[in-house]
Amino acid sequence: MNTKPYDKVMLFMGVLSVKGFPSSLRERLEKLFGPVDTVTEPFPFSFTDYYVPEMGEEIERFFLSFTTLISPDRLAEIKTITDELEMEYAENGKRRINLDPGLLTEGNIILATTKNRAHRIAIGKSLYAEVTLIYHSHGFESFPWTYADYRSEKVQETLLSFRRQYLLRRKLTK
């Protein structure tokens, strides 16, 4: 069998928070996944009320990108780690921070999840992955299942800037 290694991809995280982003959490993420390259400005998360019962009303969304490119087959391992970190920062059993790791490639955005649906593929550790967005004609295109925030112009602009960083970094590491 003639196989070759996966192309390296950019790890990023969508973060939901009601209490900011603790420096101790950033330090732990950097120890685990390498230096954080970008932390976007937080903005109110008003796309759904799904998280309100657990996290409260004042939820903010922001994104992190990491400098170190990774193998995409690490997504299940990373999602397991971020789920554990969420519980470490929980208060009274309720998450105060939600870490959603994703992979950015030249052609798509892939997110990990614990929930199985028809369009998701098992990736191990009882986790699933979905192609959330594809890159086409200088922008991202969504699907019927794409989360509302990932359909928004604000999030897509962020992901396009991450994509530019990724393409440059990939070019420099070849």
Side-chain angles (χ1 to χ4, degrees):
M1 182 188 318
N2 188 12
T3 62
K4 61 181 191 167
Y6 292 117
D7 289 335
K8 300 284 185 175
V9 300
M10 174 185 274
L11 173 64
F12 74 94
M13 289 185 194
V15 181
L16 295 175
S17 176
V18 291
K19 288 196 167 183
F21 187 52
S23 60
S24 61
L25 178 55
R26 178 180 175 149
E27 290 167 10
R28 295 200 46 207
L29 290 171
E30 288 186 319
K31 274 187 178 175
L32 291 162
F33 309 122
V36 169
D37 186 42
T38 302
V39 180
T40 66
E41 287 295 317
F43 60 92
F45 183 77
S46 57
F47 299 96
T48 177
D49 59 1
Y50 178 83
Y51 297 97
V52 169
E54 181 178 18
M55 298 182 79
E57 297 283 339
E58 302 294 320
I59 302 171
E60 292 185 318
R61 160 69 88 195
F62 60 95
F63 290 87
L64 311 172
S65 67
F66 292 85
T67 302
T68 306
L69 301 182
I70 65 165
S71 178
D73 61 359
R74 293 190 57 207
L75 186 57
E77 164 205 346
I78 292 167
K79 177 67 173 163
T80 300
I81 292 167
T82 58
D83 284 356
E84 291 169 0
L85 287 171
E86 288 175 358
M87 295 319 296
E88 286 182 36
Y89 284 84
E91 294 175 6
N92 300 319
K94 293 187 175 190
R95 293 180 296 174
R96 308 318 303 147
I97 198 152
N98 178 308
L99 302 168
D100 287 323
L103 304 178
L104 185 146
T105 76
E106 186 172 352
N108 59 35
I109 299 292
I110 300 167
L111 297 179
T113 180
T114 59
K115 298 168 205 76
N116 188 15
R117 301 288 185 268
H119 61 279
R120 294 178 177 160
I121 296 171
I123 58 172
K125 301 182 182 281
S126 298
L127 297 168
Y128 303 87
E130 73 173 32
V131 175
T132 300
L133 297 168
I134 59 169
Y135 184 81
H136 179 72
S137 298
H138 309 290
F140 286 109
E141 293 182 10
S142 62
F143 299 98
W145 56 80
T146 301
Y147 298 114
D149 53 336
Y150 280 80
R151 284 191 210 132
S152 74
E153 187 175 332
K154 182 175 198 66
V155 170
Q156 288 193 14
E157 285 175 6
T158 296
L159 296 172
L160 285 170
S161 74
F162 286 1
R163 184 178 183 273
R164 287 188 292 276
Q165 292 171 357
Y166 165 69
L167 293 175
L168 180 62
R169 193 163 299 121
R170 198 176 71 175
K171 188 177 187 179
L172 294 172
T173 58
K174 282 193 173 185

